[in-house]
Amino acid sequence: QVQLGESGGGLVQAGGSLRLSCTASGRTITNNYMGWFRQAPGKEREFVAAITPGGGTTFYADSVKGRFTISRVNAKNTVYLQMNSLKPEDTAIYYCAFYNRGSVYERKSVGSWGQGTQVTVSS
């Protein structure tokens, strides 16, 4: 069983940047897709970004494409989400995701979740 711990959330003004980190323990993430989802108050958890095991291919929600970048360092068992040009609508709890199998865009493909980190963007 993998445990995921996120960090890096906080309060930032619109147009600012944050970098989220997710470090896994309990097993290696080397062979698994990893990703990020987010959940705003009153809304369903939604896909944000995902990355293949080797890091060569990435996937993004249309709403963050061009502003967010997902990356990973397998030697550190860590995944990152660099968020630039943040908007108030990016405000949410961000969750790290360890995929089992299936589409990266679907919650049911996720085998383990982190506890989440709050990102708040003020206007």
Side-chain angles (χ1 to χ4, degrees), residues 4-115:
L4 304 173
E6 302 99 332
S7 62
L11 173 64
V12 64
Q13 288 189 329
S17 298
L18 285 173
R19 188 175 83 152
L20 306 184
S21 299
C22 169
T23 299
S25 60
R27 60 168 289 178
T28 178
I29 65 169
T30 301
N31 299 316
N32 289 76
Y33 284 60
M34 296 293 295
W36 292 90
F37 284 69
R38 68 186 181 186
Q39 187 167 15
K43 295 188 176 181
E44 292 189 349
R45 193 171 297 189
E46 64 176 6
F47 170 79
V48 175
I51 187 167
T52 53
T57 302
T58 55
F59 308 83
Y60 296 97
D62 287 344
S63 58
V64 307
K65 205 170 292 184
R67 299 188 298 121
F68 290 12
T69 303
I70 188 171
S71 60
R72 64 192 295 164
V73 178
N74 285 337
K76 294 185 177 181
N77 236 26
T78 299
V79 180
Y80 304 96
L81 185 68
Q82 177 67 43
M83 305 185 295
N84 298 329
S85 302
L86 282 161
K87 304 175 181 180
E89 51 263 44
D90 293 318
T91 296
I93 299 174
Y94 283 70
Y95 295 91
C96 183
F98 174 93
Y99 288 95
N100 282 339
R101 59 177 59 86
S103 169
V104 298
Y105 301 102
E106 298 182 8
R107 294 193 303 271
K108 65 181 182 181
S109 301
V110 177
S112 296
W113 296 98
Q115 82 285 355

